[in-house]
Structure formats: C-alpha cells, structure tokens
Amino acid sequence: MCQITIKADSLKKIYSSTKALNNFSLEVRKGEFVALLGANGAGKSTFIRIALGLESPEAPPEGGNSEIFSIPSISLQPSDLQKIGYISSDMSPVPWAPVCDIADFYASIYHKWDVQLFENYIRQWSLLKNKKLKDLSKGQRRLSEFALVLSYHPELLILDEPFDGLDAVNRINLQKILKELQKKTQVTILYTTHVLEEVHKLADRLVIIREGKKVYDQPLKESTESIEVIFRKHYGMAL
C-alpha cells in the first residue's frame, strides 16, 4: 500500500464572498512529483498554506481536513517541519538577512543540515552568500533559497512557482537536480507553475484546480493529449 504524504479532504476556504477552495481534495503519495496547475486566484497557494498549517480552512466540520505525514496540518510540530522544504512564490520571509546567516541558523535547527552540500550549491551557482537576500537579483535569491532548503534533505518539497525569476540555464539545471533527487531519494514533490511546457519533463501526475475545485487529476503517462490541450479544455478555452 502506498504511503500518503499529503492528504486534503473536502477543504473549503472563503475570503469575503470568494470561495478560494471549494471541496478541494487531493492525495499525494510518497515519491510522487505532482504538478498543480491553475489560473491566478484558482486556489493553489491557499491550498499550500493550509496544507502547511500556515492558514486554517473554514471552521470544522465544514472546512474539511488536511494532513501531512498523516498528521493534521494544524498540529505539525517542529520535528515534522524538519522533513518539509517549502519555497513560497513570495520569495524569502527574511530578505534582510545574508545567506550565510540564514545557513548558520538552519544549521542550528535542522538535524540533517549538510554544510558540504550547501557549499557545493554556493559554488555551483556562484551565489554571493555574504550579501543580504534583498540585495541579490531575483534569480540569485531564488537559487539561494533552493540551496538552503535542499541542504537539510527534506522528505517533502512544496514549491510554489519555484522557477520564477530563473534564467533558462539555471532553470534547466535546477529541474534536473529535482528529478535526480526524486529518483535517488524518493522525495515527494508538489509544485505549482504557469509554464505548461515544463510539466511533462518534471511531473508524474497533473492536477488542475479551477475556482477552488479540482477539475482534473491523472498520471501524465495515462494521457494521450498535450498538457496545453488538457488545460484549455478544463478552463473552457478554445482549442
């Protein structure tokens, strides 16, 4: 029986009169690479925040449930968060800090912190670890975040628009690293993107969300249509 890493059951979230999530359910199995697609405002980031326990769904029982590692999202403990790597579409929450200071902090809280791996990423991507994140280019900030997150060997990666701001070379190299990690360590990866062309190179499974509802969920190997055609169909767009 496959282990379920992320489980969402009938999640509901309403902002004012807008239903950000409307009975959204999803299971992500251990070792899967899942792409979550949807237009801006479809509910992707809301789902991620709820899954991580950063935000609550509607009051129970109407709001549904969310779990990571079979633990309710609202009950995740520091020992559980040790296993999760999260990169937000909003970039780093500590832009005023130099990369090296963040690395020192991570070394103090993450049991699996790998200083050699971190230094390898710094060299490989020519990162300026003594500069504050806010003083780096958008691409350099994003690569710095990946260097930090990947260096504590998470079992689950949740990536919200992770390749935004990267040039073509770094985008391709980073995607290769993620696929190799998935194959080598069975890390579970859930990521959102607006770039349809890259999904078939990375993901095992495609999930589409529209107006807070899951409208498509299939392994890519079972599809005979292109991702663009599938997306257009479920968003009522002309082919």
PDB file of all heavy atoms in Angstrom, residues 171-187:
ATOM      1  N   ARG A 171      17.301  27.349 -14.777  1.00  0.00           N
ATOM      2  CA  ARG A 171      16.002  26.671 -14.729  1.00  0.00           C
ATOM      3  C   ARG A 171      16.158  25.201 -15.114  1.00  0.00           C
ATOM      4  O   ARG A 171      15.673  24.305 -14.415  1.00  0.00           O
ATOM      5  CB  ARG A 171      15.041  27.378 -15.695  1.00  0.00           C
ATOM      6  CG  ARG A 171      13.585  27.048 -15.506  1.00  0.00           C
ATOM      7  CD  ARG A 171      12.740  27.816 -16.513  1.00  0.00           C
ATOM      8  NE  ARG A 171      11.333  27.702 -16.221  1.00  0.00           N
ATOM      9  CZ  ARG A 171      10.608  28.620 -15.596  1.00  0.00           C
ATOM     10  NH1 ARG A 171      11.166  29.740 -15.186  1.00  0.00           N
ATOM     11  NH2 ARG A 171       9.330  28.427 -15.366  1.00  0.00           N
ATOM     12  N   ILE A 172      16.854  24.955 -16.205  1.00  0.00           N
ATOM     13  CA  ILE A 172      17.060  23.587 -16.685  1.00  0.00           C
ATOM     14  C   ILE A 172      17.902  22.782 -15.695  1.00  0.00           C
ATOM     15  O   ILE A 172      17.592  21.631 -15.371  1.00  0.00           O
ATOM     16  CB  ILE A 172      17.716  23.598 -18.078  1.00  0.00           C
ATOM     17  CG1 ILE A 172      16.731  24.145 -19.113  1.00  0.00           C
ATOM     18  CG2 ILE A 172      18.177  22.200 -18.472  1.00  0.00           C
ATOM     19  CD1 ILE A 172      17.355  24.431 -20.461  1.00  0.00           C
ATOM     20  N   ASN A 173      18.972  23.391 -15.179  1.00  0.00           N
ATOM     21  CA  ASN A 173      19.848  22.695 -14.237  1.00  0.00           C
ATOM     22  C   ASN A 173      19.119  22.338 -12.949  1.00  0.00           C
ATOM     23  O   ASN A 173      19.276  21.234 -12.412  1.00  0.00           O
ATOM     24  CB  ASN A 173      21.080  23.546 -13.924  1.00  0.00           C
ATOM     25  CG  ASN A 173      22.072  23.592 -15.070  1.00  0.00           C
ATOM     26  OD1 ASN A 173      22.071  22.695 -15.926  1.00  0.00           O
ATOM     27  ND2 ASN A 173      22.909  24.604 -15.099  1.00  0.00           N
ATOM     28  N   LEU A 174      18.311  23.257 -12.453  1.00  0.00           N
ATOM     29  CA  LEU A 174      17.590  23.005 -11.209  1.00  0.00           C
ATOM     30  C   LEU A 174      16.523  21.940 -11.398  1.00  0.00           C
ATOM     31  O   LEU A 174      16.323  21.073 -10.531  1.00  0.00           O
ATOM     32  CB  LEU A 174      16.966  24.301 -10.702  1.00  0.00           C
ATOM     33  CG  LEU A 174      16.300  24.259  -9.337  1.00  0.00           C
ATOM     34  CD1 LEU A 174      17.246  23.675  -8.282  1.00  0.00           C
ATOM     35  CD2 LEU A 174      15.846  25.638  -8.923  1.00  0.00           C
ATOM     36  N   GLN A 175      15.857  21.959 -12.532  1.00  0.00           N
ATOM     37  CA  GLN A 175      14.863  20.922 -12.805  1.00  0.00           C
ATOM     38  C   GLN A 175      15.520  19.542 -12.872  1.00  0.00           C
ATOM     39  O   GLN A 175      14.961  18.556 -12.381  1.00  0.00           O
ATOM     40  CB  GLN A 175      14.131  21.252 -14.100  1.00  0.00           C
ATOM     41  CG  GLN A 175      13.214  22.458 -13.976  1.00  0.00           C
ATOM     42  CD  GLN A 175      12.647  22.917 -15.306  1.00  0.00           C
ATOM     43  OE1 GLN A 175      12.945  22.351 -16.345  1.00  0.00           O
ATOM     44  NE2 GLN A 175      11.825  23.948 -15.269  1.00  0.00           N
ATOM     45  N   LYS A 176      16.711  19.495 -13.421  1.00  0.00           N
ATOM     46  CA  LYS A 176      17.460  18.225 -13.478  1.00  0.00           C
ATOM     47  C   LYS A 176      17.803  17.753 -12.070  1.00  0.00           C
ATOM     48  O   LYS A 176      17.682  16.558 -11.754  1.00  0.00           O
ATOM     49  CB  LYS A 176      18.730  18.408 -14.303  1.00  0.00           C
ATOM     50  CG  LYS A 176      19.557  17.134 -14.446  1.00  0.00           C
ATOM     51  CD  LYS A 176      20.806  17.382 -15.277  1.00  0.00           C
ATOM     52  CE  LYS A 176      21.649  16.114 -15.384  1.00  0.00           C
ATOM     53  NZ  LYS A 176      22.899  16.354 -16.148  1.00  0.00           N
ATOM     54  N   ILE A 177      18.221  18.664 -11.216  1.00  0.00           N
ATOM     55  CA  ILE A 177      18.554  18.317  -9.840  1.00  0.00           C
ATOM     56  C   ILE A 177      17.330  17.744  -9.124  1.00  0.00           C
ATOM     57  O   ILE A 177      17.422  16.735  -8.407  1.00  0.00           O
ATOM     58  CB  ILE A 177      19.095  19.554  -9.090  1.00  0.00           C
ATOM     59  CG1 ILE A 177      20.508  19.890  -9.582  1.00  0.00           C
ATOM     60  CG2 ILE A 177      19.101  19.333  -7.572  1.00  0.00           C
ATOM     61  CD1 ILE A 177      21.039  21.216  -9.078  1.00  0.00           C
ATOM     62  N   LEU A 178      16.178  18.362  -9.300  1.00  0.00           N
ATOM     63  CA  LEU A 178      14.964  17.892  -8.633  1.00  0.00           C
ATOM     64  C   LEU A 178      14.560  16.497  -9.106  1.00  0.00           C
ATOM     65  O   LEU A 178      14.168  15.645  -8.303  1.00  0.00           O
ATOM     66  CB  LEU A 178      13.821  18.883  -8.851  1.00  0.00           C
ATOM     67  CG  LEU A 178      13.975  20.244  -8.161  1.00  0.00           C
ATOM     68  CD1 LEU A 178      12.815  21.163  -8.542  1.00  0.00           C
ATOM     69  CD2 LEU A 178      14.044  20.091  -6.649  1.00  0.00           C
ATOM     70  N   LYS A 179      14.651  16.253 -10.406  1.00  0.00           N
ATOM     71  CA  LYS A 179      14.300  14.927 -10.923  1.00  0.00           C
ATOM     72  C   LYS A 179      15.271  13.874 -10.407  1.00  0.00           C
ATOM     73  O   LYS A 179      14.869  12.759 -10.061  1.00  0.00           O
ATOM     74  CB  LYS A 179      14.296  14.930 -12.454  1.00  0.00           C
ATOM     75  CG  LYS A 179      13.087  15.570 -13.078  1.00  0.00           C
ATOM     76  CD  LYS A 179      11.776  14.917 -12.653  1.00  0.00           C
ATOM     77  CE  LYS A 179      11.598  13.505 -13.154  1.00  0.00           C
ATOM     78  NZ  LYS A 179      10.262  12.925 -12.782  1.00  0.00           N
ATOM     79  N   GLU A 180      16.546  14.220 -10.331  1.00  0.00           N
ATOM     80  CA  GLU A 180      17.536  13.270  -9.818  1.00  0.00           C
ATOM     81  C   GLU A 180      17.298  12.980  -8.342  1.00  0.00           C
ATOM     82  O   GLU A 180      17.441  11.842  -7.888  1.00  0.00           O
ATOM     83  CB  GLU A 180      18.951  13.818 -10.048  1.00  0.00           C
ATOM     84  CG  GLU A 180      19.367  13.801 -11.508  1.00  0.00           C
ATOM     85  CD  GLU A 180      20.718  14.458 -11.758  1.00  0.00           C
ATOM     86  OE1 GLU A 180      21.227  15.124 -10.821  1.00  0.00           O
ATOM     87  OE2 GLU A 180      21.250  14.314 -12.867  1.00  0.00           O
ATOM     88  N   LEU A 181      16.931  14.017  -7.589  1.00  0.00           N
ATOM     89  CA  LEU A 181      16.619  13.821  -6.177  1.00  0.00           C
ATOM     90  C   LEU A 181      15.423  12.900  -6.003  1.00  0.00           C
ATOM     91  O   LEU A 181      15.411  12.022  -5.131  1.00  0.00           O
ATOM     92  CB  LEU A 181      16.320  15.170  -5.522  1.00  0.00           C
ATOM     93  CG  LEU A 181      17.483  15.948  -4.921  1.00  0.00           C
ATOM     94  CD1 LEU A 181      17.005  17.302  -4.407  1.00  0.00           C
ATOM     95  CD2 LEU A 181      18.162  15.157  -3.820  1.00  0.00           C
ATOM     96  N   GLN A 182      14.403  13.107  -6.819  1.00  0.00           N
ATOM     97  CA  GLN A 182      13.220  12.263  -6.739  1.00  0.00           C
ATOM     98  C   GLN A 182      13.585  10.796  -6.979  1.00  0.00           C
ATOM     99  O   GLN A 182      13.151   9.910  -6.239  1.00  0.00           O
ATOM    100  CB  GLN A 182      12.172  12.710  -7.740  1.00  0.00           C
ATOM    101  CG  GLN A 182      10.890  11.888  -7.685  1.00  0.00           C
ATOM    102  CD  GLN A 182      10.073  11.964  -8.972  1.00  0.00           C
ATOM    103  OE1 GLN A 182      10.573  12.405 -10.009  1.00  0.00           O
ATOM    104  NE2 GLN A 182       8.829  11.545  -8.902  1.00  0.00           N
ATOM    105  N   LYS A 183      14.376  10.549  -8.003  1.00  0.00           N
ATOM    106  CA  LYS A 183      14.751   9.172  -8.343  1.00  0.00           C
ATOM    107  C   LYS A 183      15.668   8.555  -7.289  1.00  0.00           C
ATOM    108  O   LYS A 183      15.546   7.379  -6.945  1.00  0.00           O
ATOM    109  CB  LYS A 183      15.441   9.148  -9.710  1.00  0.00           C
ATOM    110  CG  LYS A 183      14.516   9.490 -10.866  1.00  0.00           C
ATOM    111  CD  LYS A 183      15.273   9.505 -12.182  1.00  0.00           C
ATOM    112  CE  LYS A 183      14.350   9.866 -13.344  1.00  0.00           C
ATOM    113  NZ  LYS A 183      15.100   9.925 -14.639  1.00  0.00           N
ATOM    114  N   LYS A 184      16.575   9.360  -6.750  1.00  0.00           N
ATOM    115  CA  LYS A 184      17.588   8.838  -5.826  1.00  0.00           C
ATOM    116  C   LYS A 184      17.066   8.673  -4.409  1.00  0.00           C
ATOM    117  O   LYS A 184      17.390   7.683  -3.734  1.00  0.00           O
ATOM    118  CB  LYS A 184      18.799   9.779  -5.817  1.00  0.00           C
ATOM    119  CG  LYS A 184      19.948   9.304  -4.943  1.00  0.00           C
ATOM    120  CD  LYS A 184      21.121  10.263  -5.031  1.00  0.00           C
ATOM    121  CE  LYS A 184      22.274   9.795  -4.142  1.00  0.00           C
ATOM    122  NZ  LYS A 184      23.431  10.733  -4.209  1.00  0.00           N
ATOM    123  N   THR A 185      16.250   9.618  -3.943  1.00  0.00           N
ATOM    124  CA  THR A 185      15.853   9.623  -2.531  1.00  0.00           C
ATOM    125  C   THR A 185      14.366   9.398  -2.309  1.00  0.00           C
ATOM    126  O   THR A 185      13.932   9.328  -1.166  1.00  0.00           O
ATOM    127  CB  THR A 185      16.232  10.970  -1.876  1.00  0.00           C
ATOM    128  OG1 THR A 185      15.404  12.016  -2.414  1.00  0.00           O
ATOM    129  CG2 THR A 185      17.693  11.309  -2.138  1.00  0.00           C
ATOM    130  N   GLN A 186      13.586   9.338  -3.382  1.00  0.00           N
ATOM    131  CA  GLN A 186      12.125   9.195  -3.263  1.00  0.00           C
ATOM    132  C   GLN A 186      11.490  10.372  -2.529  1.00  0.00           C
ATOM    133  O   GLN A 186      10.463  10.225  -1.851  1.00  0.00           O
ATOM    134  CB  GLN A 186      11.758   7.887  -2.568  1.00  0.00           C
ATOM    135  CG  GLN A 186      11.874   6.657  -3.462  1.00  0.00           C
ATOM    136  CD  GLN A 186      10.823   6.677  -4.581  1.00  0.00           C
ATOM    137  OE1 GLN A 186       9.642   6.491  -4.330  1.00  0.00           O
ATOM    138  NE2 GLN A 186      11.250   6.892  -5.805  1.00  0.00           N
ATOM    139  N   VAL A 187      12.098  11.562  -2.655  1.00  0.00           N
ATOM    140  CA  VAL A 187      11.488  12.762  -2.102  1.00  0.00           C
ATOM    141  C   VAL A 187      10.156  13.011  -2.812  1.00  0.00           C
ATOM    142  O   VAL A 187      10.010  12.751  -4.008  1.00  0.00           O
ATOM    143  CB  VAL A 187      12.428  13.982  -2.253  1.00  0.00           C
ATOM    144  CG1 VAL A 187      12.702  14.297  -3.718  1.00  0.00           C
ATOM    145  CG2 VAL A 187      11.850  15.210  -1.559  1.00  0.00           C
TER     146      VAL A 187
END
